[in-house]
Amino acid sequence: MAKIDRIDLLIAGVGGQGTLLTGRIIAAAAQAEGYDVKTAETHGMAQRGGSVVIHVRIAGEVRAPLVPQGEADFLLAFETLEALRFLPWLSPAGTVIVNCQEIKPLPVLTGACDYPEGAVETLKNSAGRVIPVEAMKLEPVCSQPRTANVLLVGILARLLPFPEETWQKALAEQIPPRHLTINRRAFTTGWTHQPRP
Amino acid sequence: MTATSRKLMSGNEAIARGAYEAGVTVATAYPGTPSTEILEQLSRYPGVRADWAPNEKVALEVGIGASLAGARVLVAMKHVGVNVAADPLLTLSYTGVGGGLVLVSTDDPGMHSSQNEQDNRHYARLAKIPLLEPADSQEALNFVSAALELSERFDTPVLLRTTTRISHSRSLVKTGERREQERIPFQKNPAKYVMLPAFARQRRPLVDKRLEALRREAESSPLNQIEEGRSRRGVICSGMAYQYVKEALPEAPVLKLGFSHPLPEKLILDFAASVEELIVVEELDPFLEEQIRALQPGVPVRGKELLPAAGELAVPLLREQVAGDEAAGTEPLCAEELPPRPPLLCPGCPHRGVFYVLKRLKVTVPGDIGCYTLGALPPLEALDTCICMGSGLGIAAGMERADPAAAGKTVAVIGDSTFFHSGITALIDLVYSGSKTTVLILDNRTTAMTGHQDHPGTGVTLQGMERPPVELEPLCRAIGVRRVFTADPLQLRELEALLKAELNAGELSVIITERPCTLLERAPAAPLTVDPHRCNDCGLCLELGCPALSRSGESALIDGSICTGCGLCVQVCRRKAITGFSAKEGGED
């Protein structure tokens, strides 16, 4: 596999969607491939259903754990509003992988604000490349919504130069055994979702 | 590649590992973001006794005792926790230690999870003790050992200061083996350990001598490093700022201070002599900058004139402000004005009904720190003050003293863990001062906001030992409160009636609302549904601020995937349009 100089990515979602675990899976895969890796996580107050973002940086040597604005190669978003929120971190040539799920924040639920319309279109007009995914309609996410994050990891994995065995090993390392089988299925759905570019 | 032989660890995990390897046998803390995982991780290692203390002052005092009895000790807390522990800390500097003692302070620039962003490096100066600042997880691990060795060699507590981006960032770490330490038992030495004025005056010059000895140590310490560079502007930095500097200013010579107090003055002057200008890059206050300027290094010193003192630093900020590199940043893709997604009380949260009732009663609600601080946000908007842990009770007392009529219009709120932390002494003040106010203790049987840590009221310790739980009701009675009641926070009418009665009682009352955090004990109640024929879309139920409730355009809607069936909306609805709730199902523990 061709070596990469650097991959910067952001994982955005809503507290409880598995952003922390996703960051750990990607970091474990990068580490297994011999790269230096750093992540920056959101904990505490931000996790009570709030907006959550994880930075993951992969390179021969990583310094700051935070991806500078405008420099992320990938934005992995588990919810469309959160994809829009962290769009400023994406580089002009970057790729957005977005789960087309809308989770309305409280100000929208109470009628104080409107949920942005045509979010995926906005993403398409702004980003180099957008891969929208109806994860909630795909197996096994439709019956196990909590596996949506790993399905998106599968899609991302296909775009990164790490072999599938590395990803499978990273899944086994990071996911508790009783949830591993269903998450492997989600990963495979993602892995086979897009033809290799 | 060496990466595969290392472990990806957060700064907090690395601190715990470092403490384990350095032979720490006693560790204490009070939970607080971003410090919490240090003790949680350390509690899993063999040979370490790790406990939650009721507050940071007690945590440090336990640490002092263990140190005097010869153990190597780690005490951890968030930055504001050091304020609570400052009393023992500043005199511990005079007595010195037995076994090594490291105090970890996790600061929070940017206030991701805090009420202020104080720069705790000042505590090292104030207490005249050494300060270490790791720049990644590997250093976090290594610096714990270094801190404990300094502590024992120089007879001083050592402050290890991280920030959120150190504590909650993961990077690769090479671990080692545990090195058991010999414990030297406590030896009676009143002139050293009894800080009567006469003895303290004898210790005072020793503190200054120690500081000078530590300064000489810092001059040659491997924790302080000069890295050559090609530019003529030299950078001095510490902690996470170092990583930003290496990325944004790769050409600059760098003096990296891992051991940043007392300042290695000669090292700084030598570094200054090799450059034409010094740039000090540090997060928060000009802590290093002001001291470096005072050394008159002979070249211009710039820092806060280029970089903000508030919030976090970032690579693009350094590129623009220090490198003057306009081309560095491409035009970022712009997101439109987006609705915010503030953190919120979970569906089924027992705090929700309390704040709904308090809002209806139009009372003033002094409060403090916990999930319940979210009761200040729309649509509940009931909480009126949040200053620090335990502050609501004292503030209620003060309001009453300024305006005696306030007692009948004020309800102070405090969580169970926070009550044990610093509410008890305030309640004693309310009794002693003859207050007629009303206090609500929101007992959800856990320290929820930081991720469900046990506390003295749960009767379970960090390492899973069972102890007699401290009971709130008898405790309040023993303090002298005569009107003590318990209530179910999910029964709105009863709670409102009780609150009204106690606001008019003309005497101090404590109401303890009892209901475990919904994430802790999920009631197996079925989700509720809205009957669209009965619902007139009045929006009353939305006033609860429950994320399971929204509007379809014609009626209210309940998201069955997150509804816990707590039944608050059933009680609020005037048209009996919400069904599926029976008091038995939803109302039992």
Side-chain angles (χ1 to χ4, degrees), chain A residues 45-56:
Chain A
M45 183 77 105
Q47 278 186 297
R48 291 280 168 274
S51 173
V52 176
V53 65
I54 311 291
H55 296 239
V56 182

Side-chain angles (χ1 to χ4, degrees), chain A residues 145-169:
Chain A
R146 293 181 65 85
T147 59
N149 59 339
V150 174
L151 190 150
L152 264 69
V153 170
I155 296 174
L156 172 80
R158 208 63 201 257
L159 305 175
L160 298 181
F162 309 155
E164 193 186 352
E165 310 89 85
T166 298
W167 289 102
Q168 293 292 354
K169 235 182 102 199

Side-chain angles (χ1 to χ4, degrees), chain A residues 91-172:
Chain A
S91 90
T95 300
V96 184
I97 301 170
V98 57
N99 181 16
C100 302
Q101 186 190 9
E102 293 188 357
I103 301 175
K104 291 173 182 157
L106 202 57
V108 172
L109 294 177
T110 59
C113 316
D114 292 322
Y115 195 94
E117 280 185 29
V120 172
E121 284 311 305
T122 310
L123 290 169
K124 282 182 175 166
N125 293 335
S126 313
R129 179 181 182 196
V130 180
I131 303 175
V133 190
E134 297 278 356
M136 299 330 235
K137 295 181 184 164
L138 301 174
E139 276 291 339
V141 181
C142 50
S143 56
Q144 294 285 333
R146 293 181 65 85
T147 59
N149 59 339
V150 174
L151 190 150
L152 264 69
V153 170
I155 296 174
L156 172 80
R158 208 63 201 257
L159 305 175
L160 298 181
F162 309 155
E164 193 186 352
E165 310 89 85
T166 298
W167 289 102
Q168 293 292 354
K169 235 182 102 199
L171 292 177

Side-chain angles (χ1 to χ4, degrees), chain B residues 75-123:
Chain B
V75 183
M77 54 196 64
K78 69 181 292 175
H79 61 335
V80 287
V82 181
N83 301 335
V84 180
D87 198 359
L89 177 64
L90 269 73
T91 303
L92 174 62
S93 170
Y94 283 34
T95 64
V97 300
L101 187 148
V102 58
L103 173 63
V104 182
S105 164
T106 64
D107 291 11
D108 190 16
M111 294 175 272
H112 298 278
S113 266
S114 305
Q115 67 271 36
N116 77 27
E117 61 174 6
Q118 66 186 50
D119 187 334
N120 272 11
R121 295 177 300 171
H122 294 295
Y123 270 115

Side-chain angles (χ1 to χ4, degrees), chain B residues 153-224:
Chain B
R153 268 179 62 207
F154 292 89
D155 194 11
T156 177
V158 176
L159 187 64
L160 181 84
R161 184 248 195 181
T162 74
T163 54
T164 297
R165 298 305 183 184
I166 299 291
S167 282
H168 286 168
S169 288
R170 292 175 177 271
S171 58
L172 296 172
V173 173
K174 190 172 182 300
T175 57
E177 296 300 313
R178 180 163 166 98
R179 304 176 299 279
E180 296 290 351
Q181 304 294 318
E182 195 188 340
R183 189 176 69 81
I184 301 147
F186 177 68
Q187 286 177 347
K188 200 174 170 72
N189 187 351
K192 186 168 188 288
Y193 297 125
V194 183
M195 285 302 95
L196 283 164
F199 292 146
R201 279 193 289 269
Q202 288 171 22
R203 297 294 301 175
R204 178 68 181 82
L206 299 179
V207 172
D208 286 334
K209 264 194 197 161
R210 182 182 71 199
L211 203 60
E212 282 320 301
L214 282 162
R215 194 184 304 284
R216 287 193 294 279
E217 179 73 13
E219 298 284 3
S220 58
S221 167
L223 275 49
N224 295 327

